[in-house]
Amino acid sequence: MLIDSRVSEVLSKVRVVELATIGKDSSPQVRPMSAIWVPGKGHIVLTTPLAFPQKVFNIRRDGRVSLFYSDLTGSGLDGKTAVLVQGTADAPQIAAGSAELEDFWSATFSRNPEYATQFASPGYRATMDWYYWRLPIYVTPERVHVFDATPVGGVLEPPPPSAVPMAEQIRDAIERYPTAVLTAFDDQGHPYSVRAEVSADLRVRPLQPFDGKPGRASLLWHRHSLGAGGDTSSMLTLQVIGSFDGERFTAERVPGALPDERGAGGGEYDWVARAKQQSAAYLAKRGLAEPVVDWDALAGYTTP
């Protein structure tokens, strides 16, 4: 489809988008992601590490997705326009190295030149190679919705409590964030997301035109901030799966933690070790070779 210049600018500059896929239980699953718009190829590229493949599994079952460009933090845009892209995603049965994802890495690291220092470290290369073994996702836009932007962000400090009941996590999120991302399904079964205000009794008021129907739904609260080098270095997030009757959300469960969340028990080193083991297990189960990471090429993408 034809993407006009206004929408293309949003797709090109927004740092973090909300990707909605369809879970095995037919609920929308929504996560903050980096997404790269490649106008010359007419698609949007996303990736996820082999250690955390759930989004890819969802897409391989059902390719209907949406990408919501609602948080313009660090984009340099005027903050007035949000964009929802609905389309079909393809997640090929490959494990990609750096060369296979040149479009993604070159755009990602040109925004974040400070990563060049990390790439030069032998310790980083040995410890974090698994992070650059990626499962690619290619989204072909089919419908585009342009909205007025709404309040985003929220309080990063103090961090929310961990290992507390879902009701307490939700209460913290409602107090911490001005809006949440509400996602349900439209008449064609595509995920449809808008920003919404959520009250303490889980009444939900969409702030943008909402074509989602009553039924399976999710609420996502998240916030990212920019580090000294412009990277999205700090993030908080909470997703809750449930149902929406057109007025009130019924919470059912909190899905598993995001890849960049350390979780309860064990520190960052334990998390890295587990992720590396999970990546190796993914390759072994499918008879795939370890992807090749060209560190010098990655460092080159950080050069203006």
Side-chain angles (χ1 to χ4, degrees), residues 132-151:
Y132 299 93
W133 303 346
R134 291 279 171 148
L135 300 172
I137 299 167
Y138 303 98
V139 178
T140 301
E142 296 170 355
R143 291 181 297 282
V144 171
H145 311 268
V146 178
F147 305 135
D148 291 335
T150 68

Side-chain angles (χ1 to χ4, degrees), residues 74-159:
S75 67
L77 298 170
D78 61 13
K80 296 180 180 179
T81 302
V83 172
L84 173 67
V85 174
Q86 294 177 294
T88 300
D90 177 49
Q93 301 273 354
I94 63 171
S98 54
E100 293 90 344
L101 290 169
E102 182 178 1
D103 288 336
F104 180 82
W105 292 124
S106 61
T108 298
F109 292 130
S110 65
R111 298 172 175 174
N112 302 296
E114 72 283 355
Y115 280 103
T117 302
Q118 292 181 332
F119 297 151
S121 166
Y124 181 85
R125 294 184 180 194
T127 303
M128 295 301 294
D129 54 351
W130 63 271
Y131 186 74
Y132 299 93
W133 303 346
R134 291 279 171 148
L135 300 172
I137 299 167
Y138 303 98
V139 178
T140 301
E142 296 170 355
R143 291 181 297 282
V144 171
H145 311 268
V146 178
F147 305 135
D148 291 335
T150 68
V152 297
V155 180
L156 283 170
E157 298 293 342

Side-chain angles (χ1 to χ4, degrees), residues 18-251:
E18 293 97 13
L19 168 70
T21 62
I22 301 175
K24 192 173 183 179
D25 66 350
S26 298
S27 297
Q29 295 191 357
V30 188
R31 292 299 195 190
M33 299 277 287
S34 294
I36 303 301
W37 167 233
V38 188
K41 297 179 181 177
H43 64 211
I44 300 164
V45 184
L46 306 93
T47 73
T48 188
L50 274 60
F52 308 103
Q54 188 58 56
K55 293 175 285 293
V56 163
F57 293 161
N58 290 349
I59 287 167
R60 288 173 182 168
R61 281 193 304 269
D62 190 325
R64 290 173 293 181
V65 302
S66 68
L67 291 168
F68 192 27
Y69 295 74
S70 71
D71 188 338
L72 309 183
T73 303
S75 67
L77 298 170
D78 61 13
K80 296 180 180 179
T81 302
V83 172
L84 173 67
V85 174
Q86 294 177 294
T88 300
D90 177 49
Q93 301 273 354
I94 63 171
S98 54
E100 293 90 344
L101 290 169
E102 182 178 1
D103 288 336
F104 180 82
W105 292 124
S106 61
T108 298
F109 292 130
S110 65
R111 298 172 175 174
N112 302 296
E114 72 283 355
Y115 280 103
T117 302
Q118 292 181 332
F119 297 151
S121 166
Y124 181 85
R125 294 184 180 194
T127 303
M128 295 301 294
D129 54 351
W130 63 271
Y131 186 74
Y132 299 93
W133 303 346
R134 291 279 171 148
L135 300 172
I137 299 167
Y138 303 98
V139 178
T140 301
E142 296 170 355
R143 291 181 297 282
V144 171
H145 311 268
V146 178
F147 305 135
D148 291 335
T150 68
V152 297
V155 180
L156 283 170
E157 298 293 342
S162 60
V164 299
M166 179 177 66
E168 292 186 33
Q169 295 182 58
I170 293 172
R171 184 163 52 250
D172 174 84
I174 290 171
E175 295 173 353
R176 184 178 295 272
Y177 305 94
T179 59
V181 175
L182 167 67
T183 304
F185 296 106
D186 66 13
D187 282 335
Q188 299 182 50
H190 262 85
Y192 195 103
S193 298
V194 296
R195 285 274 171 172
E197 293 178 341
V198 184
S199 64
D201 63 356
L202 293 186
R203 292 183 185 275
V204 180
R205 185 172 74 91
L207 300 178
Q208 294 150 330
F210 186 53
D211 282 348
K213 304 305 176 185
R216 304 303 302 165
S218 78
L219 288 173
L220 171 70
W221 292 270
H222 77 98
R223 163 74 193 272
H224 66 276
S225 65
L226 298 183
D231 64 309
T232 51
S233 60
S234 298
M235 178 176 284
L236 293 177
T237 183
L238 174 68
Q239 181 189 191
V240 181
I241 299 294
S243 61
F244 181 57
D245 65 7
E247 180 178 349
R248 182 174 294 186
F249 183 82
T250 300

